[in-house]
Amino acid sequence: MKATELAIAGAWLFEPSVFPDARGSFTAPFQGPAFREALGFDLAIVQTNQSVSSRGVIRGVHYADVPPSQAKYLYVAAGAVRDVIVDIRVGSPTFGRHEAVELDGESMRAVYISEGLGHAFQALTDDTVVGYLCSASYNPSGEHGISPVDPDLALPWADGIEPVLSEKDRDAPTLEQARAAGALPTWEACQEWYARLCS
């Protein structure tokens, strides 16, 4: 498995080998030893989630309070998404920047999103199935969102596909509104948390 850190610190792309044959294919989208070699610690999987989305659906931009937040290892079991990771850590050298990665059920590429980063994706096909390995349980009081259509972020959603948003995501604040309200994680708090994971 190939592991590559993206331009935003704490965001990683994992590319497993896929073994096709006449019956279909086989792959291991998450491999603990490869994860540990890349990041220096084991991913504690506390909860697994799965979503099914119609073409055009955007989920996010979501994040959680740090600590403990919720890191996610995400892959597409069927269909395809444009996955977007946003650096919302106040004080980060890449604050406000984003990375976009195409994930699909054929390549089985996966992304790891560290605690404190914002995350969203748009389904590019109907019946897109996304699996999430999460480092913490869902905590409604600690979950937050940023508008996925914030004009200042200008996230690269697919051309020619009508965005479909939940009411919650549609009404989420812009990045600047969340920063002004003191609702964003800080780079310092995230660095302290990452150091704990590696200790």
Side-chain angles (χ1 to χ4, degrees), residues 129-147:
V129 180
V130 176
Y132 316 66
L133 310 181
C134 304
S135 67
S137 298
Y138 174 66
N139 175 19
S141 65
E143 299 287 329
H144 308 285
I146 298 294
S147 171

Side-chain angles (χ1 to χ4, degrees), residues 2-199:
K2 180 182 177 182
T4 306
E5 188 168 23
L6 301 176
I8 295 174
W12 288 77
L13 175 67
F14 287 85
E15 300 174 88
S17 297
V18 180
F19 303 96
D21 61 25
R23 301 167 299 169
S25 65
F26 177 85
T27 191
F30 174 75
Q31 299 172 35
F35 182 92
R36 182 175 182 82
E37 181 178 352
L39 279 95
F41 60 90
D42 294 317
L43 177 61
I45 300 170
V46 175
Q47 180 173 311
T48 62
N49 300 334
Q50 179 174 294
S51 66
V52 181
S53 301
S54 301
R55 185 174 187 262
V57 166
I58 295 175
R59 297 181 185 266
V61 177
H62 298 152
Y63 68 99
D65 291 335
V66 180
S69 191
Q70 185 188 65
K72 298 174 184 175
Y73 187 98
L74 182 145
Y75 65 94
V76 173
V81 305
R82 177 164 295 170
D83 195 90
V84 178
I85 302 161
V86 184
D87 193 346
I88 59 170
R89 302 166 297 189
V90 177
S92 167
T94 54
F95 177 77
R97 287 180 52 184
H98 64 265
E99 285 271 352
V101 180
E102 305 285 327
L103 307 177
D104 60 71
E106 294 185 3
S107 69
M108 297 301 293
R109 303 198 310 169
V111 290
Y112 174 72
I113 304 106
S114 293
E115 296 89 344
L117 292 173
H119 175 253
F121 68 79
Q122 182 177 32
L124 304 179
T125 66
D126 283 331
D127 301 316
T128 290
V129 180
V130 176
Y132 316 66
L133 310 181
C134 304
S135 67
S137 298
Y138 174 66
N139 175 19
S141 65
E143 299 287 329
H144 308 285
I146 298 294
S147 171
V149 291
D150 178 347
D152 290 333
L153 282 178
L155 300 181
W157 303 123
D159 292 332
I161 300 180
E162 185 67 24
V164 180
L165 280 67
S166 69
E167 182 177 350
K168 179 180 178 182
D169 289 342
R170 187 170 54 248
D171 294 341
T174 66
L175 182 65
E176 177 54 28
Q177 288 169 338
R179 187 201 63 77
L184 298 177
T186 66
W187 175 249
E188 182 181 9
C190 290
Q191 290 301 306
E192 290 175 359
W193 183 257
Y194 305 154
R196 287 181 57 182
L197 294 174
C198 293
S199 62

